């Protein structure tokens, strides 16, 4: 009877050990699955952040090139406007010079006409 109790006790202990081992394996497998799921979830976010960063870097490079081109074009436009402004000033200077010469020529012409006709004689009325 004692040996039977001992055998039953050992059988129950073995069952408990097997149950405990099975539960430990299940818990380990579940923890592994959970860990992998969490890591996968984090990796997706990290991968997306990396992709976004690469896109941003490319956009920054493109924007820098475009900004440089725009700055060069703007400088060319400013230069063209300054040249045009200078040309307009020169045209205005030439126009004023031409008016001045024209006035001088009229004065000379009037003086020559006056000299050519001689003094105006008073008319008797």
């Amino acid at each position: 009877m004692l040996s039977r109790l001992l055998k039953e006790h050992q059988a129950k202990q073995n069952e408990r050990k097997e149950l405990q081992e099975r539960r430990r394996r299940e818990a380990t497998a579940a923890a592994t699955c959970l860990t992998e799921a969490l890591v996968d979830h984090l990796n997706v976010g990290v991968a997306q952040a990396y992709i976004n960063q690469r896109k941003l870097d490319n956009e920054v490079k493109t924007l820098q090139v475009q900004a440089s081109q725009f700055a060069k074009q703007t400088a060319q436009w400013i230069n063209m406007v300054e040249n045009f402004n200078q040309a307009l000033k020169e045209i205005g200077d030439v126009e004023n010079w031409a008016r001045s010469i024209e006035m001088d020529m009229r004065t000379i012409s009037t003086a020559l006409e006056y000299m050519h006709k001689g003094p105006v004689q008073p008319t008797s009325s």
Side-chain angles (χ1 to χ4, degrees):
M1 170 136 177
L2 193 56
S3 74
R4 186 177 55 97
L5 284 175
L6 180 63
K7 286 183 182 179
E8 285 178 10
H9 175 68
Q10 287 176 344
K12 284 183 182 180
Q13 270 189 328
N14 284 339
E15 284 179 24
R16 281 189 211 130
K17 283 182 184 178
E18 288 176 11
L19 180 62
Q20 187 177 5
E21 183 63 27
R22 185 173 43 90
R23 286 181 179 167
R24 188 187 62 77
R25 283 193 306 262
E26 288 174 357
T28 302
T32 302
C33 288
L34 176 64
T35 303
E36 287 176 358
L38 289 173
V39 168
D40 288 345
H41 180 70
L42 289 175
N43 282 342
V44 168
V46 170
Q48 187 62 43
Y50 178 74
I51 289 169
N52 290 343
Q53 183 63 40
R54 283 188 23 217
K55 286 180 183 178
L56 285 174
D57 288 343
N58 288 335
E59 290 291 326
V60 166
K61 287 177 185 176
T62 302
L63 185 60
Q64 285 174 337
V65 168
Q66 290 175 349
S68 175
Q69 290 173 346
F70 181 70
K72 288 177 185 176
Q73 188 176 22
T74 302
Q76 289 175 344
W77 288 346
I78 289 172
N79 191 25
M80 287 173 55
V81 167
E82 287 175 353
N83 290 342
F84 181 70
N85 210 11
Q86 185 62 34
L88 286 177
K89 286 180 184 178
E90 290 174 3
I91 288 173
D93 290 345
V94 169
E95 189 177 341
N96 286 337
W97 175 79
R99 284 190 196 131
S100 177
I101 294 293
E102 184 180 3
M103 291 296 289
D104 289 348
M105 294 305 284
R106 283 188 184 161
T107 302
I108 292 171
S109 175
T110 303
L112 286 175
E113 283 180 21
Y114 179 74
M115 296 279 289
H116 179 58
K117 289 182 184 178
V120 178
Q121 297 179 3
T123 58
S124 29
S125 3

